[in-house]
Amino acid sequence: MDTKKIKALGAKTADSPLDTLVIERRVLGVNDVEIDILYCGICHSDLHAVKNDWGNTNYPVVPGHEIVGRIKDVGKNVTKFKVGDLTGVGCIVDSCRNCDSCSHGFEQFCENGFTLVFDGPDKHLAGRTYGGFSESIVMDSNYVLKIPESLDLASAAPLLCGGITVYSPLKHWKAGPGKKVGIIGIGGLGHLAIKIARAMGAHVTVFTRSEDKLQDAKRLGAHDAVLSNDPEQMRKQSKYDLLIDTVSAKHEVNMFLDILNIDGSLVLVGLPNEPLEIGAFNVVNGRKSFSGSNIGGIAETQEMLDFFAEHKLAADVEVIKVDQVNEALDRLERGDVKYRFVIDMASLKN
Ligand code: NAP
Ligand code: ZN
Ligand code: ZN
């Protein structure tokens, strides 16, 4: 198959910094679009993958799954997009389209495995897929999102993974008026969860271990902020209907299960590389649920983007150039970002 060579940023091993690489993209198929990448967010999952935290990374890895770009070319069967349109791409670039999950819009749970935008098996070229830390991408137009005109492009990028990952469970577990919702961890996902839950009408409390984020929590839309490593403050908490746990490392969850209401749910979206310990008494008392959620389907991702436009919300971003990306990954590891790094991908062309 013919391919086109482009520039990307990738890691060759778990210990090497990201560096410029040349990768190949397939030529445009009839249902494909070619997207010139303008911005790409840095999610903690990119960092987990680069560092091989989950033990399953294939190198070289080109991360990036919070992509905003402009359509450069369209295949002859594509009607949804035209050259020049502003688009978004998240984690999912393909799926089987036939299974029960796909036919219900749950491509994230495709029974045959959806194709991840990076480090997934590439159906067209041999080898693995390469993500958004690159100049451009060629992919099936059915998995491409429309960026509403009113959204700022750099701050729309984190919505493509961070936004949908928290929007989906907040909607599924019915965050809204009369509901007491807690968000655990104020990072990329957590800060978006605060904004979404507030816009949905819930009473929102954030739990952070970082004292310097307490003030910010209210600016982001939380009604209350709790220092989760202060047992005195934790003892005063009770009767949460829903807790969204965005913590990226192994942590204590029983103290959060304890503050759920009867029939309350703690929903894990963070992906620590070690199992979490749950005490039986922490769930049986109060018929509590410990659950999880994984990104969201394509239609729901579009709904989330439209929700951000309708409610005039945006991610809080720090836009960086390509030569700052390794420093950004170090800072993300230390929790030193307010609240999402976004790479200006045009700087890769220079
Ligand atoms: P992030 O920006 O690094 O935020 C994670 C937050 O967790 C930190 O800001 C910190 O908040 C808290 N935290 C980190 N280490 C902690 C520790 N040891 N103990 C307690 N709290 C800690 O990361 P992110 O991009 O939001 O991603 C969060 C997690 O979700 C990652 O594991 C990522 O891989 C995963 N993820 C999952 C999905 C999915 O579909 N399920 C999608 C995207 C990302 P405070 O400073 O406020 O305490
Ligand atoms: Zn992500
Ligand atoms: Zn499927």
Side-chain angles (χ1 to χ4, degrees):
M1 193 186 204
D2 278 350
T3 59
K4 179 174 166 185
K5 288 190 167 51
I6 62 151
K7 264 206 251 178
L9 270 184
K12 289 190 179 130
T13 70
D15 305 315
S16 48
L18 295 197
D19 208 350
T20 314
L21 303 173
V22 173
I23 59 166
E24 291 180 72
R25 296 293 189 199
R26 68 178 187 253
V27 295
L28 201 71
V30 290
N31 298 313
D32 288 341
V33 289
E34 182 180 7
I35 302 170
D36 227 343
I37 300 178
L38 301 173
Y39 294 101
C40 191
I42 308 181
C43 173
H44 206 112
S45 298
D46 295 314
L47 180 61
H48 286 309
V50 167
K51 300 281 176 205
N52 200 19
D53 281 347
W54 302 316
N56 60 359
T57 304
N58 297 279
Y59 295 93
V61 63
V62 173
H65 56 279
E66 293 183 336
I67 300 168
V68 166
R70 195 183 292 281
I71 300 275
K72 198 177 174 190
D73 203 357
V74 297
K76 74 174 169 46
N77 292 350
V78 175
T79 51
K80 190 174 154 194
F81 297 104
K82 58 181 188 324
V83 173
D85 283 354
L86 290 167
T87 56
V89 180
C91 294
I92 306 171
V93 291
D94 207 346
S95 67
C96 85
R97 306 159 202 229
N98 292 315
C99 74
D100 226 33
S101 298
C102 282
S103 42
H104 288 92
F106 301 129
E107 294 89 352
Q108 74 273 34
F109 307 131
C110 173
E111 290 160 29
N112 297 299
F114 70 83
T115 305
L116 256 171
V117 62
F118 79 91
D119 201 10
D122 192 319
K123 283 186 191 170
H124 301 262
L125 306 176
R128 314 292 292 178
T129 54
Y130 293 121
F133 291 8
S134 57
E135 280 181 272
S136 60
I137 188 166
V138 175
M139 59 176 283
D140 192 299
S141 61
N142 290 303
Y143 295 80
V144 176
L145 290 312
K146 292 185 180 176
I147 300 293
E149 260 176 36
S150 61
L151 294 186
D152 169 71
L153 296 184
S155 48
L159 309 183
L160 277 308
C161 172
I164 184 59
T165 299
V166 291
Y167 178 86
S168 185
L170 284 166
K171 188 178 170 206
H172 180 78
W173 272 272
K174 302 189 168 54
K179 289 283 177 71
K180 202 170 158 184
V181 173
I183 309 299
I184 308 170
I186 318 180
L189 269 54
H191 94 286
L192 292 169
I194 298 170
K195 293 179 189 229
I196 296 168
R198 180 68 187 253
M200 287 176 168
H203 185 277
V204 185
T205 302
V206 303
F207 295 88
T208 176
R209 61 188 175 147
S210 311
E211 214 160 349
D212 63 306
K213 294 183 187 168
L214 285 174
Q215 272 309 107
D216 242 9
K218 298 204 174 161
R219 177 184 63 78
L220 294 168
H223 296 91
D224 296 309
V226 175
L227 205 53
S228 51
N229 45 19
D230 177 352
E232 203 42 51
Q233 290 190 37
M234 285 302 290
R235 240 191 309 278
K236 293 185 193 143
Q237 305 303 313
S238 68
K239 298 198 171 169
Y240 284 86
D241 298 296
L242 175 63
L243 291 167
I244 305 285
D245 183 341
T246 76
V247 174
S248 51
K250 185 170 184 182
H251 59 289
E252 159 64 21
V253 285
N254 291 307
M255 67 176 182
F256 293 110
L257 292 167
D258 285 345
I259 63 172
L260 285 174
N261 206 350
I262 294 173
D263 285 330
S265 296
L266 186 153
V267 182
L268 184 70
V269 290
L271 297 168
N273 60 354
E274 288 177 79
L276 305 176
E277 280 153 28
I278 296 167
F281 292 98
N282 302 90
V283 284
V284 299
N285 287 332
R287 201 165 53 192
K288 295 166 180 176
S289 300
F290 179 87
S291 328
S293 190
N294 195 28
I295 47 173
I298 296 299
E300 195 176 36
T301 305
Q302 188 64 58
E303 178 186 306
M304 175 277 310
L305 289 167
D306 298 341
F307 180 94
F308 267 76
E310 183 191 333
H311 293 271
K312 300 188 168 50
L313 300 174
D316 288 26
V317 299
E318 182 174 338
V319 179
I320 59 163
K321 303 276 188 216
V322 159
D323 60 6
Q324 296 170 287
V325 75
N326 287 304
E327 187 196 332
L329 288 175
D330 289 344
R331 284 181 53 196
L332 178 59
E333 191 143 39
R334 297 196 299 270
D336 174 22
V337 51
K338 289 187 175 168
Y339 282 93
R340 194 58 128 195
F341 288 113
V342 173
I343 312 171
D344 170 3
M345 290 312 309
S347 61
L348 184 61
K349 294 202 171 88
N350 303 331

